Amino acid sequence: MNFPSQQIGDFSVTAISDGFLSAPLDMLSNIDPADAARIQRDAGVIDPSAIHINCYLIRSETRTVLVDAGAGGFKQWGGRLRDNLKRAGVLPSDVDTILLTHAHPDHIGGLLDSTGEPCFPNAELVLHAQELAFWQSDANLHRASERARGNFLFARRVFEKYRDRLRVFVGEEVLPGIGAQPLPGHTAGHCGYRIQSKDQDLLIWGDIVHFPHLQISRPEVSIAFDLDPQLAAQTRVGLLDMVSADPVSYTHLTLPTIHYKCRYRWWPGD
Ligand SMILES: [Zn+2]
């Protein structure tokens, strides 16, 4: 099976699908759900409420790194990561580092197996200090809605299972050749990861858009999953401007792919 791949200097980056989740269009703000459905239909989207979940495998001679771990079947979302990794020639025990863009369940569900134990026995789990602090805060938990409360408890369970190999960062340096880029708004410590090697670079930007056809042309459209919808929109607008000439890869693109180039248009595999 061929997975979309890109060589960035010494690193090969491969998009690996975990499957998809479903989110009704009325979870969007700043757009009428009927307009949203029309834009999705016009773009040829068959199931307008499907949000695709992609993870990224970064390999070098010495490292096997995964960015996010998919939903792993949480609420019956996704769950295909492990099989797809195997098809790409990677076993869970091969992964030495997992970089989290953030700790929503569709990004950390795949860290636990069906018995609730760690799926990646040798991986260090790395995330922004602010992201960990947000989910560990009892004050935040008590303020949370019913839906969000489940996310808190789930994130805490995952962190507990990986507690002996959890690493948080505050600056940009994460691994040699891989740096973090804070992209606040979607969650408190939401980050992208920039891979830089031999004059080439690629940004994996996490949850900047959930519905690419809607939010790239209408960046003011936010989703109820955003912790701070206004800040998320601001970050999205700024980033779309910044990456207008840069390659970028993202979690919820309809098909797993590597490049997004040129503002308001995308070319899979370009
Ligand atoms: Zn998210």
Side-chain angles (χ1 to χ4, degrees):
M1 186 169 182
N2 274 342
F3 294 94
S5 257
Q6 175 88 21
Q7 193 71 28
I8 303 292
D10 293 331
F11 296 99
S12 83
V13 183
T14 307
I16 309 273
S17 170
D18 181 52
F20 65 93
L21 62 90
S22 219
L25 295 174
D26 60 11
M27 293 189 88
L28 296 170
S29 54
N30 295 328
I31 192 165
D32 184 79
D35 284 345
R38 181 181 46 73
I39 294 170
Q40 291 280 76
R41 265 197 315 273
D42 289 351
V45 175
I46 295 164
D47 178 358
S49 61
I51 294 181
H52 290 250
I53 307 167
N54 301 317
C55 307
Y56 291 90
L57 184 64
I58 306 171
R59 282 178 280 190
S60 70
E61 268 189 15
T62 53
R63 306 214 71 115
T64 302
V65 176
L66 193 59
V67 176
D68 289 340
F74 180 90
K75 288 191 184 168
Q76 317 218 305
W77 298 340
R80 286 169 32 198
L81 174 68
R82 208 156 21 150
D83 285 347
N84 281 336
L85 274 178
K86 205 169 165 191
R87 289 192 186 104
V90 174
L91 295 173
S93 56
D94 296 334
V95 177
D96 56 65
T97 312
I98 296 167
L99 306 177
L100 292 182
T101 59
H102 62 300
H104 274 158
D106 55 321
H107 299 254
I108 61 170
L111 290 171
L112 302 182
D113 65 18
S114 53
T115 67
E117 292 305 313
C119 193
F120 297 93
N122 302 317
E124 184 182 40
L125 183 63
V126 181
L127 75 165
H128 196 284
Q130 244 174 297
E131 186 69 9
L132 182 65
F134 175 83
W135 296 105
Q136 301 285 39
S137 153
D138 286 336
N140 289 340
L141 171 64
H142 293 134
R143 259 198 303 269
S145 66
E146 196 55 46
R147 180 180 63 80
R149 194 162 300 144
N151 293 350
F152 273 88
L153 299 179
F154 186 68
R156 288 177 177 201
R157 194 179 328 147
V158 171
F159 296 144
E160 174 60 20
K161 291 288 180 183
Y162 281 80
R163 71 181 179 283
D164 51 345
R165 45 212 165 96
L166 208 52
R167 171 161 68 93
V168 294
F169 59 86
V170 285
E172 287 181 7
E173 184 66 27
V174 174
L175 288 174
I178 305 177
Q181 181 167 340
L183 299 168
H186 180 61
T187 61
H190 182 236
C191 275
Y193 292 99
R194 188 175 282 278
I195 302 152
Q196 289 176 302
S197 179
K198 294 184 175 162
D199 289 337
Q200 291 183 285
D201 73 306
L202 175 78
L203 174 67
I204 296 173
W205 76 11
D207 280 12
I208 286 295
V209 300
H210 290 80
F211 292 102
H213 297 291
L214 295 169
Q215 291 174 291
I216 286 172
S217 57
R218 304 263 303 261
E220 75 280 9
V221 173
S222 281
I223 192 162
F225 303 145
D226 288 337
L227 179 70
D228 181 337
Q230 238 174 338
L231 182 59
Q234 221 174 306
T235 298
R236 184 161 42 251
V237 170
L239 196 63
L240 283 169
D241 275 339
M242 196 196 81
V243 300
S244 58
D246 271 353
V248 61
S249 221
Y250 47 106
T251 315
H252 295 307
L253 183 61
T254 311
L255 293 168
T257 190
I258 297 289
H259 271 194
Y260 167 75
K261 266 183 176 177
C262 202
R263 196 139 67 121
Y264 308 140
R265 300 192 63 180
W266 62 277
W267 289 264
D270 174 32

